[in-house]
Amino acid sequence: MEFFKIKRDIPFMRYGKLTTTISLVTFILAVLALGFKGLNLGIDFTGGILMEVSYPQTADLEAIRKTLEEERITEAAVQNFGTSRDVLIRLPLREDTGAKQSDEIFSALKAQNRAAELKRVEFVGPQVGKEMYESGGLALMLVAAGIMAYLAMRFAWRFAVAAMIANMHDIVIILGMFAFFEWEFTLSVLAGVLAILGYSVNESVVVFDRVRENFRKMRKAAVTEVIDNAITATMSRTIITHSMTQLMVLAMFFFGGDALHNFALALTIGIVFGIYSSVLVACPVVLALGVSRADLLLPEKEGLVDNRP
């Protein structure tokens, strides 16, 4: 399906050095943000108390925050959960708030609004949070290794390396932005990061598959012409796919509540940079690694002609 057809190939590879330089600078800035500021880890990783409180009417979040401040709890995260009547309160483990028990906190909320109802209380210890942090990092490495193995078997090692560099570029950019703006990094955000790993590599696979097909058809074309044609030919598909995906993500971002806000934010960053990296990072890298027709094709069969447009 195509909304439009580009008649002449766009010379993307002509600007390969420029785009990879921009990507390298952006990558370094993201690494610096992670190194100097670090991630603002949520209760899932740091440990703490999680409380879900329900009200018969729309909850007044500012009044709840004020009540907690009066109890000398200044670092609590208060947000709607599911509906405007349900509130999720996250209390990190701190020396000045650790002694506050959930029943004492709820008593203060009950005094502020007698209609408040405690639905659940969960405690995440520091050891559990540490295990989640380590498991999340292990999941990222396993997914990355699986993707590299798949691409190496389906295409060639040069494509696997290029796609993984592009994917790591996307992931580091997401983490760097969360570190720089101090957005809370939770398990839902980690799920979004893992989703972007698979989503981003899918775009690279589509382009690489067209590159392999073009090597069969365009026997006399240079490698840069083959790659430019592959990117141009998949442009319409890329715009349609990513636009539809982003519409769904925006629906979660604006209407999914605070529980899905950072998850949708991570997906949005990943989709935008995933398009960029699949075209303007992965392809220049695979070109720089010296990809050639011999990497993908069997010897030329008799009767095959150059069908280059």
Side-chain angles (χ1 to χ4, degrees):
M1 179 179 179
E2 291 183 334
F3 280 156
F4 55 87
K5 187 174 182 63
I6 303 174
K7 296 182 179 180
R8 298 184 62 182
D9 293 344
I10 302 173
F12 289 101
M13 293 303 97
R14 183 183 301 173
Y15 309 102
K17 292 183 179 179
L18 174 62
T19 57
T20 50
T21 300
I22 294 173
S23 299
L24 181 60
V25 172
T26 309
F27 183 89
I28 292 174
L29 291 175
V31 170
L32 290 176
L34 284 169
F36 286 99
K37 303 192 73 171
L39 291 172
N40 177 24
L41 297 176
I43 188 177
D44 304 319
F45 300 113
T46 61
I49 299 174
L50 183 147
M51 299 174 58
E52 183 180 347
V53 183
S54 180
Y55 294 86
Q57 70 286 336
T58 300
D60 188 343
L61 299 184
E62 288 302 321
I64 295 173
R65 292 189 182 100
K66 185 176 180 181
T67 300
L68 294 175
E69 289 175 0
E70 291 173 354
E71 295 294 316
R72 297 183 180 179
I73 301 176
T74 59
E75 297 185 8
V78 180
Q79 63 187 53
N80 286 115
F81 182 74
T83 69
S84 60
R85 296 175 298 174
D86 297 319
V87 178
L88 198 65
I89 302 174
R90 299 172 184 265
L91 307 169
L93 291 177
R94 297 288 187 271
E95 292 183 0
D96 56 341
T97 61
K100 291 287 183 181
Q101 300 298 317
S102 59
D103 55 346
E104 296 175 346
I105 296 170
F106 180 67
S107 296
L109 295 176
K110 192 77 171 177
Q112 181 258 335
N113 189 330
R114 300 190 63 82
E117 177 185 353
L118 183 62
K119 283 194 169 184
R120 66 183 171 110
V121 177
E122 295 180 5
F123 175 77
V124 180
Q127 183 61 34
V128 175
K130 181 181 178 182
E131 291 176 359
M132 288 184 177
Y133 185 81
E134 293 174 350
S135 298
L138 179 62
L140 279 173
M141 289 188 290
L142 290 176
V143 170
I147 289 173
M148 284 196 70
Y150 164 74
L151 291 175
M153 289 186 293
R154 178 166 179 177
F155 298 102
W157 69 266
R158 292 178 177 85
F159 291 91
V161 172
M164 191 46 54
I165 289 175
N167 273 11
M168 289 300 101
H169 168 270
D170 300 341
I171 300 308
V172 171
I173 293 298
I174 295 174
L175 298 179
M177 293 190 71
F178 267 80
F180 181 79
F181 293 105
E182 298 183 351
W183 294 325
E184 187 179 26
F185 190 87
T186 62
L187 279 177
S188 64
V189 177
L190 177 60
V193 171
L194 291 173
I196 287 300
L197 265 176
Y199 185 84
S200 179
V201 78
N202 177 69
E203 182 64 27
S204 298
V205 167
V206 170
V207 176
F208 289 165
D209 202 48
R210 183 58 65 93
V211 170
R212 179 169 58 183
E213 181 181 338
N214 282 355
F215 271 136
R216 294 191 180 101
K217 293 180 178 180
M218 303 168 61
R219 292 283 181 171
K220 298 180 181 180
V223 175
T224 54
E225 294 176 342
V226 169
I227 296 177
D228 286 338
N229 179 268
I231 299 173
T232 304
T234 57
M235 185 69 66
S236 181
R237 176 262 175 204
T238 297
I239 293 173
I240 294 172
T241 302
H242 291 291
S243 297
M244 295 301 101
T245 305
Q246 188 58 45
L247 281 176
M248 300 303 103
V249 173
L250 288 176
M252 289 190 291
F253 184 83
F254 289 110
F255 306 113
D258 290 338
L260 292 177
H261 184 273
N262 282 4
F263 171 72
L265 185 60
L267 288 179
T268 298
I269 298 171
I271 289 172
V272 172
F273 279 94
I275 299 172
Y276 174 84
S277 66
S278 297
V279 174
L280 299 175
V281 176
C283 290
V285 169
V286 80
L287 183 64
L289 290 174
V291 68
S292 66
R293 185 173 283 102
D295 294 321
L296 297 173
L297 296 182
L298 296 172
E300 183 176 349
K301 295 181 179 180
E302 184 178 355
L304 191 61
V305 297
D306 186 351
N307 295 323
R308 177 176 35 166

